[in-house]
Amino acid sequence: PKRRYNKKPEVKEMKWNESLKAIRKERKKTQKEIATELQVSQALVSAWELGVNKPDIDNLFKLARYYQVSLDYLVSFTPKEKE
């Protein structure tokens, strides 16, 4: 008989732009609030979240400081499942 191996379920890894949006939404912040804090335009924050543009390293540091998380956490954030 054939052996059956249990495959690990595939975990969909979030892209960096999805992580940015997810952490913002979990913290209940608007793009405008983030833009004001980082002194950039709301359109730029939107472009980051859509994956059209990437934040430069200075803005990544500002985002991490604002959310009080590490850079690694910021770009690999996975939202908590709703209970």
Side-chain angles (χ1 to χ4, degrees), residues 62-80:
K62 287 178 184 178
L63 283 164
R65 239 176 304 173
Y66 178 75
Y67 291 125
Q68 298 181 336
V69 297
S70 69
L71 287 175
D72 183 54
Y73 181 88
L74 183 67
V75 297
S76 62
F77 177 77
T78 303
K80 296 174 186 168

Side-chain angles (χ1 to χ4, degrees), residues 4-12:
R4 293 184 185 199
Y5 296 96
N6 290 334
K7 286 187 177 180
K8 290 183 179 177
E10 285 188 36
V11 176
K12 183 186 179 258

Side-chain angles (χ1 to χ4, degrees), residues 4-52:
R4 293 184 185 199
Y5 296 96
N6 290 334
K7 286 187 177 180
K8 290 183 179 177
E10 285 188 36
V11 176
K12 183 186 179 258
E13 218 171 283
M14 293 183 85
K15 294 179 182 174
W16 62 268
N17 59 309
E18 293 170 335
S19 293
L20 289 178
K21 185 174 183 175
I23 193 170
R24 177 180 61 78
K25 289 196 171 272
E26 184 174 275
R27 305 287 173 99
K28 295 179 173 51
K29 299 293 180 184
T30 64
Q31 288 180 346
K32 184 66 177 165
E33 289 172 313
I34 302 305
T36 299
E37 183 66 30
L38 272 59
Q39 299 178 341
V40 299
S41 70
Q42 184 267 326
L44 185 57
V45 175
S46 176
W48 294 340
E49 291 184 1
L50 293 171
V52 173

